[in-house]
Every structure is written in C-alpha cells, then in structure tokens.
Amino acid sequence: MTTPRPSLTERRKAATLNEIALAAARLFAEHGAEGAEGTPDAAGAEGITAEEIARASGVSLRTFYRYFRTKEDAVAPLLANGVRHWLDELADGPRELPVPQALERSARIALTAAPGRPAVALDLVRGILRTARHDPDLLAVWHRVHHDSELELARVLADLAGTDADPLELRLVAAAANTGMRVAMESWAASEAPPGEAAGLAARCISELTAGLRLWTD
C-alpha cells in the first residue's frame, strides 16, 4: 500500500517543528562547544529561554508552547529524526541480510553525510550531548528519545524476523542495538573525532553488544 501524502497542515506543522528544533539545537550546542576536555557553560545553558528559542526560530512564544512543554523538549524532533532515519534504512534495506549486518548497515548509512543530510546535524547533536552532561533536563530528553526508539526498533525487527520470532528476543536485540547506538553517539560526542567517524563507531558498538544474542540468519 502507498503511504498517503501528509496534508498541507501536517507538512506545515512538521516544518515549524523542524525550525524550532534546529534553533533550539543551535542554542544548546553553543554551550557544548568547548570540547571533550572542557566544561560547557552550564549556567549559560540554563539561561537559554523558550522566548529566545522562539525568537531564533521565527515563531511566537504561544506557538512554541503549542508544540513543546519545555525548552529542552524542543530538541527532541531533531534527535528523533536521526533515529527515524536509522529505522527507515533498516526497514527498507535488503531483506536477504542477516539481522546483525542489517543493523550495522543501517546505522552506517544513517550517520553518514549525504545530499539533504549534511554532517552539520551531527555537530548539533554533539553540542547537545556535551551540554546534556551538565543539564539533567536535556539529558532526560535524550534518554526519552532513545526509549521510544527502542520500542519502535523492536517493531521493525519483528517485521524483519517474521511471526515465529520470540518477543523477548526481539526486545533484547532492540535494547542491545539501541544501546549500542546511544553509547556510540555519546562516546563520539565526548571526543574530538570528526563526524565521519560516528558511523563506524556505531556499527562497532552495535556489533559488540549484539554478538552474544541469538540472532536470525535466514
């Protein structure tokens, strides 16, 4: 079945969410730019306001609060978009690949810059994660996005595995792969490695965390 095209209202909402998320990410990332050995300006990050994010994204404060409960929530769409690309690549990838290789392949593609998906997005994620080390509310958003992605990953894996798959095994694989992606991004963000190295690190972490699990090879 062909997926219905989003309505004009839905597309406008998505564009607004994206603009707000990018503005919020840039502001938070500015306070995580000191480097792996530096200490981000936690006080400055706390000083970022919803008003500032709204102004930077060209929307009213009322519009901001229509979509987001807190200023930290505003970065969630940007983080979720990266996860969504990983899951889409996994779902649409070659069905003949064993699940471990499919997970690694999709992670590499999702974290590799391409037309329409510049590496600057990874730099924003790096800044957010560096700031989040000193901002519990921002860190909570990061963990919430990954919790949601783990549940969605289990659903994608269930489709790949077929009806005979053990539901517990699906959750274990999803948890291991999702944790691998999260740890890879956090480790990469804390380093000075260029964006191009994030993909290889993610594939390595996913491979090592799923190696001890019984995976499908059909």
Side-chain angles (χ1 to χ4, degrees), residues 21-213:
L22 284 172
R26 291 188 182 105
L27 288 170
F28 280 114
E30 287 175 4
H31 300 281
E34 285 81 356
E37 300 303 323
T39 300
D41 183 0
E46 292 176 1
I48 294 172
T49 64
E51 289 88 346
E52 189 176 359
I53 295 171
R55 184 168 58 252
S57 56
V59 302
S60 68
L61 186 61
R62 180 178 179 181
T63 296
F64 177 92
Y65 279 120
R66 182 186 306 161
Y67 297 123
F68 302 107
R69 185 174 58 86
T70 69
K71 62 184 182 182
E72 292 83 9
D73 286 338
V75 303
L78 177 72
L79 299 176
N81 282 344
V83 173
R84 181 73 260 165
H85 184 56
W86 176 35
L87 299 183
D88 287 345
E89 286 293 341
L90 179 62
D92 298 336
R95 289 302 178 104
E96 66 272 13
L97 280 180
V99 170
Q101 286 89 327
L103 285 165
E104 294 171 36
R105 172 189 175 277
S106 56
R108 286 183 181 276
I109 293 174
L111 293 175
T112 300
R117 193 177 68 255
V120 67
L122 281 177
D123 286 333
L124 289 176
V125 172
R126 168 177 267 160
I128 290 170
L129 291 181
R130 287 181 174 178
T131 304
R133 291 181 298 174
H134 304 269
D135 188 324
D137 293 329
L138 199 57
L139 186 62
V141 172
W142 169 248
H143 284 292
R144 187 178 75 239
V145 167
H146 271 277
H147 174 267
D148 294 344
S149 72
E150 182 180 313
L151 299 178
E152 181 60 24
L153 177 56
R155 287 190 282 269
V156 173
L157 290 171
D159 182 59
L160 294 176
T163 57
D164 294 333
D166 179 357
L168 178 59
E169 184 178 354
L170 288 170
R171 285 300 308 274
L172 289 172
V173 176
N178 186 65
T179 299
M181 178 66 87
R182 179 178 60 79
V183 169
M185 291 306 299
E186 291 172 354
S187 299
W188 171 79
S191 74
E192 295 300 329
E197 292 188 16
L201 183 59
R204 174 189 170 188
C205 289
I206 290 172
S207 175
E208 293 190 8
L209 282 178
T210 59
L213 298 173

